[in-house]
Amino acid sequence: MTAATGPHPDKMVRGTNNNAMPKRFSFAAFLCVSVFGGLTLSAAKPARADVLDQIQKQGELRWGGDENGGGPYVFPDEKDPNTIRGFEVELADMLAKSLGGKATFIQGDWEKVPELIDSGRIDIAMNGYELTPDRQRRYLCSVPYYVYGFQLLVRANSPYHSWADLEGDKKRRPKIGALVGSAALAYLRTIPNIQAISYDGTTDSMNQVVGGVDDGTLQDDPTAIYYADQFPELRRVGRPVSEGYYVVLMGKQETKLKQAIDNALEQFIHDGQLKSLYDHWNLSGKAQMLALGDLRGVAAPTAYPSFADILRNNWRILLEAAGMTVILSVLSMPLAVLIGISVACGRMYGPWLVAKPLGLYVELLRGTPLMLQLYAIFFLLPKIGVALPALAAAIAGLAINYSAYEAEIYRAGLQAVPRGQMEAALSLGMSRPLAIWRIILPQAFRIVIPPVTNDFIALFKDTSVCSVVTVVELTKEYDILAMSTGAIVQLAIVTATLYMLMSYPLSVFARWSERRLANA
């Protein structure tokens, strides 16, 4: 990716991204990457060349962010989606120029971008990353370049007019959304009587408030200001709370790079470049310069808690998340099987007018990603007045998606039953539906037990995708805890063990069922 040289100084050309992290890991991928990455990380660090020297030698500063996070940070240009805009795009250009190079943007999942520093794929991470104790432990943090606060937004006709209204609601726990992995989400989790809901995008959370799914959303004030015109249905509640700082993240050993970036940021503050940048993006440049002041004396990071402490403090959360995985699987799989059998019978024995649409149903669901289907159910249906709770949307999405695969499995099972079985049943005077129910389906069930069991085990792991509709199951909880505690490998092993404990009994049950049916 190369910096834009066109007429818009605040744009950057978006190039091919071979380094982007996938939105969601499959379970196997997540475990392998976590364990392998964690084990190799420490060994790789000492061998890396000095990053500042490398930047100056190659004339390129590789910086990571997530353009899906939206404005005013980094976002695609409405007129030319191949370019990106945002105040951090311009700030990256300024930093790169001061270091003697040009800025190259690397796209990644917002939560995962800092991990690209560890793997050497980027030099810095800069995308509204808050200064937190965990990030201080894991990375070198620059001096702050922006002072933010959390702004609560609710619907214009909401009965909530203050934080006290939310905390004092005796009838229900208000649902407030925030960006996953953000300091805003961590802040919400400290407030009693509030359900903190995590979203992958800031506008997703705003849309759910507009659609009536959530009661409010907590955003960093730059986001609230930037999207004020696009979401006129939302109203601010009070003034921003809990001040914090955005910083540039670098590798723990890159002291020379940190010094150079600190010097550059301080120079931008003193010569007015940073004020001009913030004024250009309507971010109150003068107020920011006064707030930034001299912030070199940020608190020193504290040591990581021990793994025993992490487990002791979080075992209930992990078990609850594992329970959510079980609930999603146990409720969605029977629905998927029921729908799948109906579709398979309709395609096998129904008239053309039934069989053809059912065939299209199967191909449509098999040809589109589960994540997209979940997104449509949870985020698009509210726009036509159908707002499902997150858990119901997740179960419906899993059941509908897996019904297509179950339909094909049962269709194969039905085809494997000898044709003479149906003819014999009809010759005995059975009706066709009765013959299917009493003669054909029982034989097909026996045939399809192994693939159906495999599908059930696969569904266990695909529940991780449900985090896109804000359901926090086991993989998502692992993700949250690993990022906040730094115990990536240890928690991956614990999570993998929980998955094994849940899925292995299914394999045992499948073998037992096969033996029992074979002897029947």
Side-chain angles (χ1 to χ4, degrees), residues 40-340:
T40 57
L41 205 58
S42 58
K45 284 179 181 176
R48 290 177 57 190
D50 182 89
V51 171
L52 180 59
D53 292 341
Q54 187 173 298
I55 291 170
Q56 293 172 337
K57 181 179 179 182
Q58 298 181 354
E60 180 186 48
L61 172 66
R62 301 169 303 165
W63 69 285
D66 183 1
E67 60 184 275
N68 296 322
Y73 307 90
V74 185
F75 59 98
D77 186 4
E78 300 84 355
K79 297 178 181 176
D80 182 6
N82 287 320
T83 63
I84 54 173
R85 302 179 60 203
F87 81 91
E88 288 178 331
V89 176
E90 295 184 54
L91 182 56
D93 282 338
M94 292 161 58
L95 287 173
K97 187 177 179 181
S98 72
L99 298 179
K102 64 179 182 180
T104 298
F105 177 72
I106 305 295
Q107 164 67 23
D109 189 3
W110 189 80
E111 293 175 87
K112 309 293 183 186
V113 165
E115 295 179 25
L116 299 181
I117 296 173
D118 299 327
S119 62
R121 291 185 172 87
I122 61 174
D123 303 316
I124 63 171
M126 184 176 65
N127 194 192
Y129 290 106
E130 306 97 341
L131 182 66
T132 64
D134 176 63
R135 291 191 177 119
Q136 285 180 281
R137 293 185 196 108
R138 299 184 64 190
Y139 305 100
L140 289 183
C141 301
S142 73
V143 294
Y145 64 84
Y146 191 90
V147 182
Y148 70 87
F150 299 136
Q151 179 65 60
L152 177 63
L153 303 172
V154 299
R155 284 185 299 281
N157 59 355
S158 170
Y160 301 116
H161 295 277
S162 67
W163 283 97
D165 290 344
L166 291 166
E167 296 179 52
D169 192 334
K170 303 298 182 186
K171 298 179 180 177
R172 55 192 291 273
R173 294 177 64 201
K175 295 165 63 177
I176 308 296
L179 186 66
V180 65
S182 66
L185 185 65
Y187 178 80
L188 284 175
R189 289 184 168 183
T190 65
I191 299 177
N193 198 45
I194 282 182
Q195 296 183 62
I197 312 295
S198 61
Y199 288 90
D200 288 338
T202 54
T203 54
D204 291 340
S205 180
M206 293 182 185
N207 278 318
Q208 293 305 83
V209 179
V210 173
V213 177
D214 292 344
D215 299 294
T217 177
L218 191 64
Q219 302 286 343
D220 291 2
D221 58 336
T223 306
I225 294 169
Y226 183 80
Y227 285 107
D229 294 336
Q230 296 183 36
F231 290 89
E233 307 90 345
L234 300 183
R235 167 171 58 83
R236 296 186 184 194
V237 176
R239 298 184 59 79
V241 296
S242 190
E243 187 180 86
Y245 311 113
Y246 292 153
V247 293
V248 180
L249 305 181
M250 294 152 277
K252 200 69 177 173
Q253 71 278 26
E254 305 303 336
T255 52
K256 286 174 60 180
L257 178 61
K258 170 179 163 48
Q259 186 62 52
I261 287 183
D262 285 352
N263 292 341
L265 289 173
E266 289 173 356
Q267 180 63 33
F268 298 155
I269 293 173
H270 293 144
D271 65 15
Q273 287 191 68
L274 203 56
K275 177 179 180 298
S276 299
L277 172 64
Y278 291 156
D279 284 340
H280 173 66
W281 286 96
N282 195 26
L283 294 174
S284 306
K286 185 174 182 179
Q288 280 295 317
M289 296 309 104
L290 292 172
L292 285 171
D294 184 7
L295 294 175
R296 273 186 175 273
V298 293
T302 56
Y304 273 123
S306 69
F307 183 57
D309 289 337
I310 293 171
L311 272 186
R312 185 164 48 252
N313 294 332
N314 297 289
W315 67 272
R316 287 181 186 278
I317 295 175
L318 284 170
L319 289 182
E320 288 174 3
M324 178 57 72
T325 297
V326 172
I327 290 172
L328 288 170
S329 304
V330 169
L331 294 183
S332 59
M333 192 63 185
L335 290 174
V337 169
L338 190 62
I339 299 171

Side-chain angles (χ1 to χ4, degrees), residues 36 129 145 186 193 285 301 313 323 373 387 431 438 469 499 502:
F36 183 74
Y129 290 106
Y145 64 84
N193 198 45
N313 294 332
Q373 295 161 16
S431 64
R438 298 288 298 275
V469 295
Y499 271 112
M502 291 187 291

